Amino acid sequence: MDNAAPFFRRRRTRENASSIAVIGLGRFGGALAIELARSGTEVLGIDTDEDIVQSMNGVLTHVVRADSTKQVALEQLGVLDFDRVVVGIGTDIQASILTTSLLKRMGVRSIWAKAISEQHGLILEQLGIEHVVYPEADMGRRVAHLVRGAMLDYVEFDKDLVVAKTVAPRELEGMTLQQAGVRRRHGVTIVKIKGADGEWRPAGADSVVSAGDLLIVIGPVEQTERFAALL
């Protein structure tokens, strides 16, 4: 880090994260940091690559070139004062492990860390990291479900619980959800309907499905895929 003085100090919150430090601004960390900044979150970006740091200047709230494997650098940046810290380092597993270990030792309470392999993730979990994410593996599973089915979008919440966006099957057209008996017949629940007006509305027993409506459906993987495949 170029500046040895403390970066800044701020009051921490326990509710929604209003300030997040993102360490490692590669494809994953950079995209995450930019999206957080767009949503109004205060973001500190940290990376060792000067070109990346310069490219993020003016995009993030703060961006600094620093070595996150050095505790003094993390302390000077006031990382402890951020509500959450994301370790997006992927290509250098040693740096990822050293950084997360330092953050735990320093007392950072909410750490999210990227893992590029099962072994990498296991080490992070053994360090006590509660939120380990596998961006490549998660995206691969998601795309696999989209490619082989008729779903327009797919989000996995648990091993057997997914939320999907799909076009309403013809068998539901002109019927209320109560009449259609979707949950009883197909094992899924329709939670939102988007009609011709382009507005999403909550789905209730009296909601009527029209041709071309988009549906948000929640249910087990197999049942959800079968429902989305209905014509």
Side-chain angles (χ1 to χ4, degrees), residues 43-59:
V43 180
L44 166 64
I46 303 171
D47 202 282
T48 57
D49 190 308
E50 182 63 30
D51 290 336
I52 291 177
V53 169
Q54 289 299 324
S55 71
M56 291 288 185
N57 190 28
V59 178

Side-chain angles (χ1 to χ4, degrees), residues 1 3-4 67 69-78 102 106:
M1 192 177 112
N3 187 358
D67 183 354
T69 66
K70 307 296 183 183
Q71 183 169 338
V72 65
L74 297 176
E75 290 173 345
Q76 289 171 354
L77 290 169
L102 277 176
M106 290 169 62

Side-chain angles (χ1 to χ4, degrees), residues 2-213:
D2 298 329
N3 187 358
F7 198 73
F8 67 90
R9 291 290 181 264
R10 71 186 312 281
R11 185 170 53 190
R12 302 180 66 179
T13 63
R14 297 190 178 202
E15 300 176 353
N16 291 336
S18 60
S19 66
I20 298 176
V22 181
I23 302 174
L25 300 173
R27 283 179 296 179
F28 170 74
L32 183 146
I34 290 171
E35 188 62 25
L36 287 170
R38 285 175 179 168
S39 68
T41 304
E42 182 179 3
V43 180
L44 166 64
I46 303 171
D47 202 282
T48 57
D49 190 308
E50 182 63 30
D51 290 336
I52 291 177
V53 169
Q54 289 299 324
S55 71
M56 291 288 185
N57 190 28
V59 178
L60 308 181
T61 317
H62 316 280
V63 59
V64 178
R65 180 177 177 271
D67 183 354
S68 63
T69 66
K70 307 296 183 183
Q71 183 169 338
V72 65
L74 297 176
E75 290 173 345
Q76 289 171 354
L77 290 169
V79 169
L80 258 177
D81 296 316
F82 283 79
D83 298 326
R84 291 171 191 163
V85 178
V86 178
V87 180
I89 302 170
T91 55
D92 189 339
I93 295 179
Q94 182 176 346
S96 166
I97 293 169
L98 285 173
T99 298
T100 51
S101 178
L102 277 176
L103 293 170
K104 287 293 292 185
R105 193 187 313 164
M106 290 169 62
V108 176
R109 290 180 293 178
S110 183
I111 303 171
W112 295 66
K114 170 187 174 179
I116 61 172
S117 67
E118 189 174 336
Q119 293 81 2
H120 184 192
L122 180 60
I123 293 172
L124 293 174
E125 290 174 1
Q126 290 173 341
L127 289 173
I129 307 302
E130 295 181 0
H131 306 286
V132 178
V133 296
Y134 300 81
E136 288 83 2
D138 291 344
M139 181 57 70
R141 286 196 300 270
R142 177 171 175 264
V143 172
H145 286 285
L146 295 175
V147 167
R148 76 179 185 182
M151 293 178 286
L152 302 176
D153 207 349
Y154 175 97
V155 179
E156 185 176 319
F157 282 92
D158 209 337
K159 290 182 179 179
D160 202 32
L161 180 66
V162 300
V163 175
K165 179 169 73 173
T166 186
V167 177
R170 283 197 289 266
E171 69 174 54
L172 302 186
E173 292 175 11
M175 302 176 67
T176 66
L177 294 184
Q178 185 173 23
Q179 292 170 335
V182 174
R183 188 181 304 175
R184 173 177 49 82
R185 294 174 56 206
H186 301 289
V188 300
T189 301
I190 297 173
V191 295
K192 289 277 188 177
I193 301 175
K194 184 178 183 179
D197 59 0
E199 297 291 331
W200 286 103
R201 60 185 186 277
D206 297 329
S207 298
V208 178
V209 179
S210 302
D213 281 356

